[in-house]
Amino acid sequence: MKIKLTTRSVESVKPAAAPIEIHDAGQPGLVLRVQPSGLRSFIVVWGRGKRRTLGRYPTMTLDGARMAARAVLTEADTTGEPVKREKGTVADVCRDYVDALRSDGRDNTANDVNRRFERTIYSDRIGSLPLAKLSDKEIRSWRDRVERGDLAPLPVKKGRPPEPKPLSKAGVNRIRTTLVAALNHAVKRRRIRPERAIEWENVAPYEAATVRRELYLDREQRRALLANAGDDLRDLMECCVLTGCRPGDPAAVLRSDYDARHGAVTFKTKDHPRTIPLSPSAKALFDRLAEGKKSGDRLFTNAGKTWTPRDWSGMVKDAAAAAKLPADVVLYTLRHCWITDAITGGMDLLTVAKLAGTSLAMIEKHYGHLVHGTAREKLAAMEFL
């Protein structure tokens, strides 16, 4: 039977010995089902044998049923199958995203993402929030807590204090981006309805949040920093000083990644391997560390073990304090120094970007002012008339 349903017709259908189904002429795919007991419910049908119960009448109104039916039919039309009921929590989809990264072989990224979730999601109340209740209000509230450092104590780990600290707006943006990636992945996996993306899209990242790195150590300061570090840490620091690599790059280098014959090394972090030539000083470092090592051995180790950020962070702070350097010196500071010296020394930005393993846009954004200063000095030394 097919009629244009109204509230009156929904209520006036008399139960029979067998269930009755009435198709709504006003909304294709919507069906009213009346049980012999008199129970009335709405169903949406989007293909042969493909149907879903939307809700019982009168808890679900006719207008509500039509809206729900349109949403299901739209999902079925765009993705081939409507999203199932949004089960689970925000923490569940975050863990699912980490697992997906590992399945793709992106272990380094997965570890980094999991650390962010561990700090801001898993132990926070948003982590236990059911997906069906996730809203822009909840996300804004979470973002504010992250910025204030108003989070639960962290699991105790070496080199990391248990009390979370307030984050800069740039730091909040990075964590927000990671959460959004996990939620978008859940949409692709059909764990969240596509139209729900408006909830996190409404919480835009902070504008102008990225602060230019200003801390620069001159050569004497760098030498003092290395002089106050233990042997293994000094090797790690020296690699960053001489190549401009990221802190995690040398920690992952195997003997097979170093080509002694051509004086080149391949860094494999950040999921895009890059091979760079080494200066004579850097080659001497790698030659020393490669001596006697097998193909699968790591060149940079912490007392024979794999380096981790939590291991070197405290050691760098101690070395900086012993060298009487600023308290905010971190291993990344040495990368910043290399990029600064390379640009002010006349190396073109494209080459700097390739050697540092970043984009030209990022180099221009954070170091473009150095190019202008160098160009100004060169222009002052020239005569055009």
Side-chain angles (χ1 to χ4, degrees):
M1 183 185 302
K2 186 174 184 178
I3 64 173
K4 185 173 182 179
L5 293 173
T6 63
T7 300
R8 182 175 180 179
S9 64
V10 169
E11 294 176 346
S12 64
V13 177
K14 295 182 179 180
I20 300 172
E21 291 193 352
I22 302 174
H23 293 257
D24 182 19
Q27 172 57 58
L30 180 62
V31 177
L32 170 67
R33 183 180 178 87
V34 182
Q35 301 284 4
S37 63
L39 180 69
R40 289 162 168 76
S41 59
F42 292 108
I43 297 170
V44 62
V45 179
W46 65 89
R48 186 169 183 175
K50 296 181 177 181
R51 54 171 51 202
R52 174 186 295 172
T53 300
L54 298 175
R56 294 180 179 179
Y57 182 84
T59 302
M60 172 166 277
T61 65
L62 176 58
D63 287 341
R66 284 175 172 155
M67 290 178 63
R70 284 194 291 271
V72 170
L73 294 172
T74 299
E75 291 170 12
D77 183 57
T78 55
T79 66
E81 188 79 15
V83 174
K84 297 179 181 179
R85 182 172 173 265
E86 294 177 334
K87 297 181 180 179
T89 64
V90 174
D92 290 335
V93 301
C94 289
R95 292 189 175 95
D96 184 50
Y97 179 56
V98 172
D99 291 341
L101 291 173
R102 295 196 193 283
S103 297
D104 291 341
R106 302 171 62 187
D107 287 339
N108 291 322
T109 301
N111 291 337
D112 179 61
V113 167
N114 194 57
R115 282 193 295 270
R116 296 185 185 189
F117 289 156
E118 186 180 62
R119 178 181 184 182
T120 64
I121 298 291
Y122 298 150
S123 58
D124 184 73
R125 71 169 183 252
I126 197 173
S128 59
L129 187 71
L131 294 175
K133 295 184 178 181
L134 183 63
S135 65
D136 60 349
K137 181 179 179 181
E138 290 286 355
I139 297 174
R140 289 180 194 279
S141 179
W142 163 80
R143 183 190 63 182
D144 292 343
R145 291 194 299 277
V146 170
E147 186 175 3
R148 295 193 306 266
D150 185 16
L151 300 167
L154 300 168
V156 177
K157 287 186 178 180
K158 180 181 178 181
R160 183 183 70 184
E163 293 299 325
K165 297 180 180 180
L167 290 183
S168 66
K169 284 183 167 54
V172 173
N173 280 351
R174 286 191 291 271
I175 291 177
R176 172 205 166 273
T177 297
T178 308
L179 174 60
V180 168
L183 294 172
N184 286 337
H185 177 259
V187 171
K188 292 180 181 178
R189 291 285 305 275
R190 296 174 183 168
R191 294 192 62 177
I192 300 179
R193 302 180 190 281
E195 67 269 17
R196 295 289 307 287
I198 190 66
E199 302 296 344
W200 52 89
E201 289 174 356
N202 277 341
V203 186
Y206 289 119
E207 295 183 1
T210 302
V211 179
R212 180 190 301 165
R213 294 182 181 274
E214 298 288 356
L215 180 58
Y216 174 83
L217 304 180
D218 60 30
R219 291 181 182 176
E220 290 302 319
Q221 290 175 312
R222 287 174 234 167
R223 290 169 182 164
L225 181 64
L226 268 64
N228 285 278
D231 292 342
D232 290 340
L233 180 61
R234 184 165 59 250
D235 291 338
L236 197 69
M237 287 180 169
E238 191 173 342
C239 184
C240 295
V241 169
L242 296 176
T243 67
C245 65
R246 294 182 177 86
D249 286 339
V253 171
L254 304 178
R255 172 63 185 87
S256 58
D257 297 325
Y258 173 50
D259 183 350
R261 180 180 177 184
H262 296 95
V265 65
T266 299
F267 293 127
K268 296 181 178 179
T269 54
K270 288 293 182 181
D271 303 311
H272 47 80
R274 70 186 191 282
T275 300
I276 64 169
L278 297 174
S279 66
S281 297
K283 186 177 185 306
L285 169 67
F286 277 82
D287 283 340
R288 173 171 61 82
L289 295 176
E291 186 176 356
K293 296 285 181 66
K294 297 179 181 179
S295 177
D297 292 342
R298 294 185 184 275
L299 293 192
F300 298 85
T301 61
N302 177 24
K305 299 179 180 179
T306 302
W307 277 109
T308 65
R310 69 176 68 95
D311 292 330
W312 72 60
S313 59
M315 295 182 184
V316 172
K317 292 292 184 184
D318 291 342
K324 298 182 180 180
L325 298 176
D328 49 351
V329 169
V330 293
L331 200 52
Y332 204 98
T333 303
L334 301 178
R335 171 177 165 87
H336 167 63
C337 294
W338 183 92
I339 295 175
T340 300
D341 287 353
I343 293 174
T344 56
M347 188 179 291
D348 65 275
L349 296 190
L350 181 58
T351 301
V352 172
K354 288 183 176 180
L355 294 180
T358 189
S359 67
L360 180 59
M362 289 299 293
I363 292 293
E364 290 178 333
K365 178 179 180 181
H366 295 287
Y367 297 93
H369 63 290
L370 298 177
V371 178
H372 296 157
T374 302
R376 190 176 298 109
E377 293 175 1
K378 291 181 178 179
L379 287 171
M382 297 180 181
E383 295 185 6
F384 295 97
L385 287 176

